[in-house]
Amino acid sequence: MILVTGATGNIGSALLKELHASGAGPLRGLTRDASRAVFPGGVEAVEGDFAQPASLKPALRGVRSLFLVSRLGSDAEILEAASQAGVEHVVLVSSITVQTHPHLGPAGENLAVEQLLKASGMAWTILRPTQFASNALMWAASIRGHETVRAPYAETALPTIHPADIAAVARVSLTEPGHHGRTYALTGPEPVTARQQVEAIAAELGREVPFAEISRRQAHAQMAAVFGAEAAEAVLDVTGGDVNDELLMVRDTVAQITGTPARPFQQWASENADTFR
């Protein structure tokens, strides 16, 4: 039994499809509301809430392998519950900032979860992806409203990754030998700037989408209202304010592990164009 947490999210939903298509199973998807979950046929939908680790016990019953996104609840309690349930292997989604920006608060929190997993006694595989292509969804309302997209660091090009590529690496890590005790830094196939991302979306829509670069101060004011000041500072550092060669590096890890090249941002834009119409 494989349990996929965050099963309705960008990575989890893609992972369930990958696992189902590959014939892996039995499969179980964790969601807050099983009645609203739309999973591939044969996938068991179970309810649970990361904020209440005790609620995960039924979902963990009989599970051999667990897919877990970090920092969505009390990771110490979640990992303890998994260990007590007899889970043998955990594939954890962490962040590439653990190695590129270890001084930032969120990176330190991700590292702490990694260390908890390593000390748990369960086998582990750690995925450290870079910026998600799906982060572009933050512009969806502006684009649908034919408004100007405003973003800082317009010309900083990061090797943005398609969430489905994270899922593909997770699927291999969960179902094939040789991945226990491994840590994988994951990126997309090429650097892409915020301006280029908006241009790619515009191309799929067949119309112009106005774009304007804003200052860090302006961006911080907007983001702090949603995420808090410290988180806003961290996000702005890793999206252009404090980039380094390791963050900008394109890695071929996805292709090495899955046998298929990483998907370009243009593909993500094409697959999600209706969200922006």
Side-chain angles (χ1 to χ4, degrees):
M1 175 70 73
I2 299 173
L3 174 63
V4 175
T5 67
T8 59
N10 290 318
I11 306 173
S13 59
L15 176 55
L16 277 180
K17 292 177 183 177
E18 285 250 353
L19 289 167
H20 184 262
S22 70
L27 302 174
R28 189 178 287 166
L30 182 72
T31 177
R32 289 185 178 180
D33 186 353
S35 66
R36 299 177 63 183
V38 180
F39 293 156
V43 176
E44 179 187 359
V46 292
E47 292 185 353
D49 188 344
F50 280 134
Q52 299 176 339
S55 72
L56 304 180
K57 290 183 179 180
L60 287 165
R61 190 173 298 121
V63 169
R64 176 184 59 82
S65 299
L66 171 66
F67 172 78
L68 179 65
V69 178
S70 68
R71 301 172 59 226
L72 295 180
S74 173
D75 291 292
E77 294 182 68
I78 293 167
L79 291 172
E80 177 63 22
S83 178
Q84 290 182 354
V87 172
E88 299 172 7
H89 178 215
V90 178
V91 174
L92 175 72
V93 179
S94 180
S95 169
I96 203 168
T97 58
V98 170
Q99 61 198 68
T100 65
H101 290 73
H103 58 284
L104 295 179
E109 293 171 10
N110 275 306
L111 177 59
V113 180
E114 292 184 9
Q115 292 171 337
L116 283 171
L117 174 55
K118 291 178 179 179
S120 70
M122 296 179 286
W124 51 269
T125 307
I126 294 171
L127 311 184
R128 292 177 175 173
T130 187
Q131 181 189 71
F132 292 6
S134 53
N135 288 1
L137 292 171
M138 72 178 76
W139 303 322
S142 295
I143 294 175
R144 286 196 302 268
H146 291 249
E147 300 170 356
T148 299
V149 173
R150 304 180 188 278
Y153 306 116
E155 309 307 330
T156 299
L158 300 175
T160 300
I161 189 167
H162 195 308
D165 283 327
I166 306 171
V169 173
R171 188 263 305 167
V172 173
S173 300
L174 286 163
T175 60
E176 298 182 11
H179 301 283
H180 290 190
R182 303 294 300 272
T183 299
Y184 297 122
L186 306 177
T187 75
E190 60 189 2
V192 57
T193 67
R195 190 186 302 277
Q196 290 170 332
Q197 290 181 39
V198 173
E199 290 172 351
I201 295 167
E204 293 298 328
L205 299 179
R207 63 176 174 85
E208 182 179 352
V209 175
F211 180 91
E213 182 172 13
I214 60 176
S215 69
R216 181 186 179 106
R217 178 177 296 180
Q218 290 171 309
H220 184 273
Q222 295 174 4
M223 297 173 66
V226 179
F227 304 114
E230 183 179 1
E233 288 286 350
V235 170
L236 289 167
D237 279 349
V238 299
T239 54
D242 184 28
V243 295
N244 53 45
D245 290 343
E246 191 167 13
L247 183 67
L248 299 174
M249 183 187 303
V250 174
R251 296 166 169 83
D252 63 353
T253 318
V254 172
Q256 288 181 4
I257 295 174
T258 68
T260 302
R263 300 162 174 87
F265 181 85
Q266 184 70 47
Q267 181 172 339
W268 182 90
S270 176
E271 293 168 354
N272 293 274
D274 286 347
T275 306
F276 299 92
R277 295 192 193 282

